[in-house]
Amino acid sequence: MKTYKGYEAQIEYDGDARLFHGSVPNIRSVITFAGDSVDELEQAFHDSVDCYLDLCERQGISPAKPYSGNFLIRVDPALHGRAAASASKAGSSLNAWMADAIEEKLERPVPSKARAGTSGAKIGNSAVTKSAAKRVVAPS
């Protein structure tokens, strides 16, 4: 993955459209980009992140940051105990055991919605898009 200003790009190639497209995963906001070549794709990635950060600044909001990998969950104490016992039995820490359980759950196929549209970032009711000619800020 390519990184720019702390944001990582997840990139795919659409053979039918002969187009690279990408997004920034692991944040609550939506940042997308596309390009016909590697150089164009990289520039679109940088432009989209810059547009997103600029839009956040103009709206006076803090930009979303990639997830840290730390989160707190609340479960029934009995479930907590069962999970800890299973982790111990497996010779694993509870954190490692939970990470494996989450990974296992994520490996199950889940239908995904196809994303269509142009490059850009979305915050609330505003969208930043990048057409072939220029970037445009438009209400969503």
Side-chain angles (χ1 to χ4, degrees), residues 31-81:
I31 303 175
T32 61
F33 50 92
D36 293 326
S37 68
V38 172
D39 289 339
E40 188 177 308
L41 180 72
E42 185 172 8
Q43 186 61 54
F45 171 44
H46 292 188
D47 290 346
S48 290
V49 169
D50 288 340
C51 285
Y52 170 69
L53 295 173
D54 182 57
L55 183 59
C56 287
E57 184 177 333
R58 285 186 284 134
Q59 291 186 353
I61 60 174
S62 296
K65 295 291 182 190
Y67 293 114
S68 68
N70 297 314
F71 64 95
L72 174 69
I73 62 169
R74 289 180 175 80
V75 296
D76 182 271
L79 179 60
H80 187 172

Side-chain angles (χ1 to χ4, degrees), residues 4-137:
Y4 178 68
K5 294 186 177 180
Y7 295 90
E8 289 188 5
Q10 181 173 332
I11 300 166
E12 296 181 20
Y13 179 71
D14 182 339
D16 294 334
R18 300 182 50 79
L19 181 75
F20 293 100
H21 59 90
S23 62
V24 175
N26 302 324
I27 63 171
R28 292 182 185 115
S29 298
V30 177
I31 303 175
T32 61
F33 50 92
D36 293 326
S37 68
V38 172
D39 289 339
E40 188 177 308
L41 180 72
E42 185 172 8
Q43 186 61 54
F45 171 44
H46 292 188
D47 290 346
S48 290
V49 169
D50 288 340
C51 285
Y52 170 69
L53 295 173
D54 182 57
L55 183 59
C56 287
E57 184 177 333
R58 285 186 284 134
Q59 291 186 353
I61 60 174
S62 296
K65 295 291 182 190
Y67 293 114
S68 68
N70 297 314
F71 64 95
L72 174 69
I73 62 169
R74 289 180 175 80
V75 296
D76 182 271
L79 179 60
H80 187 172
R82 288 174 46 215
S86 289
S88 178
K89 186 184 268 187
S92 177
S93 69
L94 183 56
N95 278 343
W97 189 86
M98 287 300 301
D100 288 344
I102 292 169
E103 194 67 47
E104 183 180 310
K105 180 76 171 178
L106 291 173
E107 288 175 1
R108 296 180 188 159
V110 176
S112 62
K113 297 179 183 178
R115 291 186 185 182
T118 58
S119 302
K122 184 172 183 176
I123 304 172
N125 292 329
S126 299
V128 178
T129 60
K130 180 177 183 288
S131 67
K134 61 182 178 180
R135 288 179 281 156
V136 179
V137 177

